[in-house]
Amino acid sequence: MSAAGTASASGLRIGVPCETKDRERRVALTPAAVHAMSTAGHQVLVQAGAGLGAGFADAEFAAAGAQLLADAEQVWAADLVVKVKEPQPAEYGFFRPGLTLFAYLHLAAEPELTAALAASGIRAYAFETLTDRNGLPLLAPMSEIAGRAAAIVGAAQLSTAAGGSGTLMGGAAGVPPAKVVVIGLGVAGTMAARGLRGLGAHVTGVDVDLHRLYEHHLDGTVDATQSSEAALIGGHVRDADLVIGAALVPGARAPVVVSEEQVASMRPGSVVVDLAIDQGGCVATARPTSLSDPTYLEHGVVHYCVTNVPGQFPRTASAALSAAVAPKLALLAADVVAGRAGTPHEHPALVGARNVDAGVIVHDAVAEVFPDLPAQPAPVPA
Ligand SMILES: NC(=O)c1ccc[n+]([C@@H]2O[C@H](COP(=O)([O-])OP(=O)(O)OC[C@H]3O[C@@H](n4cnc5c(N)ncnc54)[C@H](O)[C@@H]3O)[C@@H](O)[C@H]2O)c1
């Protein structure tokens, strides 16, 4: 038994630890969500200070029914841990059989984390692969924020102060606007395109989904559309001041859509913001960076490849994430209490989320990335 006690027959101990990734200030649950979980009969254990970066004081969590605990170890002793970013190496030691984890995992780009999860016997559910009829409901809120942020960041990186070419998005009278190429017009790409058009840029949207391009062509999200064909993208990239990467195949490593040669053809001081870096990146020259050290130069092109872009807007991002996560968490907790989690009777609203279970990779797209780890096809939901 942990210091925090054990689960009751109808409720779980749900842990909310402090985030440990570089400059990550989000918290997985707001006090409003803690209140909902407590009211449903669960005991919510919040690590002291977990909400401070997002503007939520410990006293607000306590008033919402949480028990505040000083140490990460006590919080990870819960039955179910819900957090924002993928566990960092210092947290791997908390994994154990019988623990359920619910968080962003992005395993396709995290071989060490994947191996640690599989070796531990934990049951791990990923926000980003949970699928419903509208798409990816737990990825969408952060993609929305990352897309909006990419417009701000991308425009700022083009200033000479940031090492960019000195090109202003909207141009000026007699001077054409900056050219932007957005790779992948899903949630993140669409929000980036809208923001950049709002700043006056000329935006070309690239996608493999022609219907999506048709819709965005009609609704004016972009100035021009381009099918995602290697031979046709090069000219757009060469002429671009800013390339935003936002292509995703859920669970899988991101498709590499922009080659190194194409990046090398861009003007010095042009900018790449690859949001898809959390799944490995859709620009060949992209490699993960941190909020502390967000950019590097390659072929004279500024690369911004931060894996937790929304972490710098924690107030908005925590509220948006918590609102999306809380209803799914309630279903997952109910399944754990009832012994349905990980069985064919798991709640249908959790489809696609379970990635690793008792030493086995159970998500097909993740399993394909790690052929050397034990895998089984995810069961068909009841
Ligand atoms: N770096 C960050 O902090 C951060 C934050 C949030 C989201 N993201 C990432 O942004 C990426 C996009 O997320 P999303 O929610 O917008 O996904 P989404 O599923 O809404 O959209 C992805 C789009 O990519 C398109 N696509 C797939 N293959 C393609 C290809 N070969 N060429 C061009 N387009 C292709 C799809 O058709 C789809 O329109 C994901 O990797 C996500 O994890 C990153």
Side-chain angles (χ1 to χ4, degrees):
M1 190 196 301
S2 77
T6 53
S8 71
S10 59
L12 290 185
R13 295 168 306 155
I14 297 175
V16 183
C18 293
E19 293 298 317
T20 57
K21 194 169 172 123
D22 174 62
R23 292 207 194 176
E24 178 55 66
R25 305 270 200 269
R26 284 172 285 178
V27 63
L29 298 184
T30 60
V34 167
H35 176 74
M37 298 308 294
S38 302
T39 306
H42 303 294
Q43 185 186 8
V44 185
L45 314 174
V46 175
Q47 188 176 354
L52 285 181
F56 300 113
D58 288 349
E60 291 179 76
F61 285 110
Q67 181 179 353
L68 275 295
L69 294 172
D71 300 326
E73 194 177 357
Q74 295 171 293
V75 175
W76 277 88
D79 306 297
L80 190 163
V81 165
V82 59
K83 69 188 300 300
V84 182
K85 284 308 287 179
E86 69 278 356
Q88 303 299 295
E91 296 170 309
Y92 296 176
F94 297 134
F95 301 164
R96 64 179 196 280
L99 173 63
T100 300
L101 173 65
F102 196 29
Y104 288 114
L105 296 178
H106 297 292
L107 295 184
E110 292 283 345
E112 280 145 33
L113 171 60
T114 309
L117 290 170
S120 71
I122 197 173
R123 180 173 287 153
Y125 292 77
F127 292 163
E128 75 276 5
T129 53
L130 190 153
T131 307
D132 71 8
R133 67 182 187 285
N134 296 318
L136 303 167
L138 300 191
L139 180 63
M142 293 308 97
S143 291
E144 184 183 350
I145 287 173
R148 289 185 194 275
I152 301 167
V153 164
Q157 290 297 330
L158 275 168
S159 81
T160 52
S165 64
T167 305
L168 187 63
M169 278 298 145
V175 182
K179 287 189 178 167
V180 176
V181 176
V182 178
I183 311 286
L185 274 186
V187 177
T190 298
M191 296 317 294
R194 289 171 66 112
L196 289 157
R197 281 206 84 210
L199 292 173
H202 179 281
V203 179
T204 299
V206 176
D207 208 294
V208 280
D209 183 338
L210 295 184
H211 183 68
R212 191 157 273 185
L213 290 182
Y214 170 73
E215 284 178 331
H216 287 313
H217 172 69
L218 282 189
D219 70 17
T221 300
V222 291
D223 297 286
T225 58
Q226 172 63 64
S227 54
S228 186
E229 297 171 79
L232 302 178
I233 293 171
H236 296 286
V237 171
R238 184 191 61 231
D239 294 343
D241 298 288
L242 170 62
V243 171
I244 306 277
L248 173 71
V249 177
R253 198 217 173 278
V256 178
V257 181
V258 177
S259 69
E260 176 161 6
E261 195 184 2
Q262 288 167 347
V263 171
S265 75
M266 295 172 75
R267 270 188 304 278
S270 302
V271 174
V272 166
V273 175
D274 196 351
L275 295 176
I277 193 65
D278 57 2
Q279 293 288 139
C282 65
V283 176
T285 47
R287 55 176 189 268
T289 61
S290 64
L291 284 170
S292 295
D293 191 9
T295 60
Y296 60 91
L297 266 187
E298 193 147 334
H299 295 298
V301 174
V302 179
H303 287 62
Y304 179 101
C305 306
V306 171
T307 53
N308 58 333
V309 171
Q312 63 198 301
F313 300 101
R315 184 79 183 169
T316 303
S318 300
L321 180 62
S322 177
V325 164
K328 304 292 186 187
L329 175 65
L331 298 174
L332 177 56
D335 272 4
V336 173
V337 169
R340 283 191 303 265
T343 74
H345 308 292
E346 193 156 50
H347 199 285
L350 300 170
V351 164
R354 200 159 48 93
N355 277 208
V356 183
D357 197 343
V360 177
I361 312 292
V362 295
H363 190 287
D364 289 351
V366 176
E368 258 182 54
V369 183
F370 301 106
D372 295 339
L373 291 176
Q376 72 179 27
V380 180

